Amino acid sequence: FGSGSDAGAELIRASADGMPAASDTSTLVAERRIPEASSVPAGATVFWARRHGFQWPWDPLFALHCAATVMLTGGFTLALALHVHADGSRAWAMVLGGEVLLLAVALALDAAVVLRNVEAREAQAQARNGAYEFRRGVAVIDVVSSECGVCCMRAKIGTRHCKLCNKCVAGYDHHCRWLNTCIAAANYRLFMAFVVCALLYTLLALVCCLRAAACAASDLPRFRHALWSAIGAEVLPTGPLAAITVTGFLLVLATFILADTAVLLGLALLLAFHVRLWWLDMRTVDYLALPHRLRTTSSWLAT
């Protein structure tokens, strides 16, 4: 009887961090592991669940999203500094002010979507089935009884068990690898607001970068003066140093323009895709379940 109590206590301790407990029964340990993925800890068991998108490990696309955010913010900051020193008109001051506001709102919405808890309330109050065995192609929620094999709850209509987050999500739409979390009823409106704000911000940032490039093409001395003033140089350098600095900045500016264009195109396609889903009164998961011949819009951005 004492050895059974020790084994039970060991399972309870293991459930705290979602990692397998030491056991003489190797079959039990194998069954308790969840499918491997880039955003799932190695060796994690059914007791592990993702609480929010910032929880480690990160999906590679989420890391790319964070890097792109930093890159676009840096590019806008450089363009902003150039405009302040090269053009003090009131119209552009209002545009840049709106750009700063959009940036702040987009970053706040981004964090809100990633941090929002989308787990079904019924699942939060239930103990997990530590002996559940994941099988490829088999739904975790039984289609007949609507019982979740992991969360031990009766799933309501629209609730799905996300295998990447390993939890039941109410009003499930899709798992967004770019945000490392599920998009569902609890954060869908925040998600759409983020997409719209990010789209507007990227558009204005692209306009600012293009205008800076146009200034360099039309009036290089003025652009050079604005550049050195923006970085705080009191004395304007001449010779090879000035040429190398200006050339390097133009290359960086061109990189920002290309990145802005790619992100703008992706956000526009994503927004159009979700507007179409709204028009069809469908969720992303329902659309992806359709036969390929019935799909009329590219959907890779939403997966």
Side-chain angles (χ1 to χ4, degrees), residues 120-124 126 141 146-156 159 168:
R121 293 182 179 181
E122 298 83 359
Q124 299 177 22
Q126 297 291 333
I141 298 178
S146 298
E147 290 285 342
C148 178
V150 173
C151 301
C152 301
M153 54 159 279
R154 184 178 294 275
K156 296 181 179 179
T159 298
C168 280

Side-chain angles (χ1 to χ4, degrees), residues 144-223:
V144 177
S145 64
S146 298
E147 290 285 342
C148 178
V150 173
C151 301
C152 301
M153 54 159 279
R154 184 178 294 275
K156 296 181 179 179
I157 297 177
T159 298
R160 295 219 176 190
H161 188 93
C162 177
K163 292 184 179 180
L164 292 177
C165 293
N166 196 34
K167 62 184 179 184
C168 280
V169 180
Y172 181 86
D173 184 82
H174 69 281
H175 180 89
C176 182
R177 294 180 58 195
W178 294 95
L179 298 177
N180 203 34
T181 189
C182 289
I183 304 301
N187 62 353
Y188 186 81
R189 293 183 178 180
L190 290 173
F191 171 72
M192 292 307 300
F194 162 69
V195 172
V196 172
C197 286
L199 178 65
L200 294 176
Y201 163 74
T202 307
L203 177 61
L204 289 180
L206 179 61
V207 171
C208 290
C209 290
L210 288 175
R211 191 169 186 273
C215 177
S218 61
D219 192 348
L220 186 57
R222 180 187 176 188
F223 174 81

Side-chain angles (χ1 to χ4, degrees), residues 283-300:
R283 298 176 301 169
T284 302
V285 66
D286 299 325
Y287 177 84
L288 295 178
L290 293 175
H292 184 72
R293 61 186 176 82
L294 296 180
R295 301 181 188 179
T296 57
T297 306
S298 176
S299 58
W300 66 271

Side-chain angles (χ1 to χ4, degrees), residues 186-274:
N187 62 353
Y188 186 81
R189 293 183 178 180
L190 290 173
F191 171 72
M192 292 307 300
F194 162 69
V195 172
V196 172
C197 286
L199 178 65
L200 294 176
Y201 163 74
T202 307
L203 177 61
L204 289 180
L206 179 61
V207 171
C208 290
C209 290
L210 288 175
R211 191 169 186 273
C215 177
S218 61
D219 192 348
L220 186 57
R222 180 187 176 188
F223 174 81
R224 186 184 299 112
H225 184 273
L227 173 61
W228 288 111
S229 299
I231 62 179
E234 298 181 357
V235 179
L236 299 181
T238 57
L241 177 61
I244 293 175
T245 303
V246 172
T247 302
F249 181 82
L250 289 177
L251 290 176
V252 172
L253 189 61
T255 303
F256 286 137
I257 290 175
L258 293 176
D260 265 333
T261 303
V263 172
L264 183 64
L265 179 60
L267 289 172
L269 290 174
L270 180 61
L271 180 60
F273 174 71
H274 280 275

